[in-house]
């Protein structure tokens, strides 16, 4: 009989150890890090070097690309994932505004980009340059760029000359990459 009680005591002791040590393990586990999305209000956007686009445009009807730097100006880290929205605008509210919205470059899959305060990511704006004499062009004064996951855009002065309209094209030549490092 003594052996039975000793075994029962060992089982009970093991159960108590398991029960009391489980909360200790949970308390020592680090909580999952919550990703904070980057907000437009904490981002600075500007054209940066490295693309094939030339200020003033080339008017060659060739495909060009321009890079946009996306800098985290907030006080903490944040993340971006996906495609920004890019819309070129030409004209004024009183004269009428023409637009050209770029399509996502789906051959490039988005990745999550973490930006610590002061760090910069990039995106690529690819477009078909146009000749000012063509009917199917837009000669924009600005590009509105809305970072992924946001509804507020940043306005950049368009430096690259006329662009062929592609919104109705079967295989558009105007598109934007996901944000990348």
């Amino acid at each position: 009989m003594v052996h039975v009680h000793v075994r029962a005591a060992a089982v009970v002791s093991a159960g108590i150890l398991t029960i009391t040590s489980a909360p200790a393990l949970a308390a020592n586990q680090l909580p999952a890090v919550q990703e904070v999305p980057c907000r437009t209000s904490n981002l600075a956007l500007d054209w940066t070097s490295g693309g094939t686009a030339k200020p003033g445009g080339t008017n060659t009807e060739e495909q060009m690309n321009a890079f946009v730097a996306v800098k985290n100006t907030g006080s903490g880290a944040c993340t971006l994932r996906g495609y920004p929205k890019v819309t070129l605008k030409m004209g004024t509210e009183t004269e009428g505004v023409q637009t050209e919205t770029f399509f996502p470059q789906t051959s490039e899959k988005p990745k999550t980009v973490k930006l610590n305060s002061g760090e910069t990511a990039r995106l690529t704006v690819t477009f078909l340059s146009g000749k000012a004499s063509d009917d199917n062009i837009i000669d924009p004064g600005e590009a509105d760029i809305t970072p992924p996951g946001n509804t507020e855009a940043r306005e950049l002065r368009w430096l690259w000359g006329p662009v062929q309209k592609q919104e109705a094209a079967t295989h558009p030549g105007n598109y934007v990459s996901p944000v990348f490092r």
Side-chain angles (χ1 to χ4, degrees), residues 44-48 66-70 120-125 145 156:
L45 279 68
D46 205 355
W47 301 110
T48 190
F67 294 116
V68 176
V70 182
T120 302
R122 296 182 355 160
L123 60 97
T124 306
V125 176
I145 302 175
L156 296 180

Side-chain angles (χ1 to χ4, degrees), residues 19-38:
I19 291 170
T20 57
S21 61
L25 288 175
N28 290 333
Q29 293 176 348
L30 296 174
V33 176
Q34 184 70 16
E35 292 183 351
V36 176
C38 296

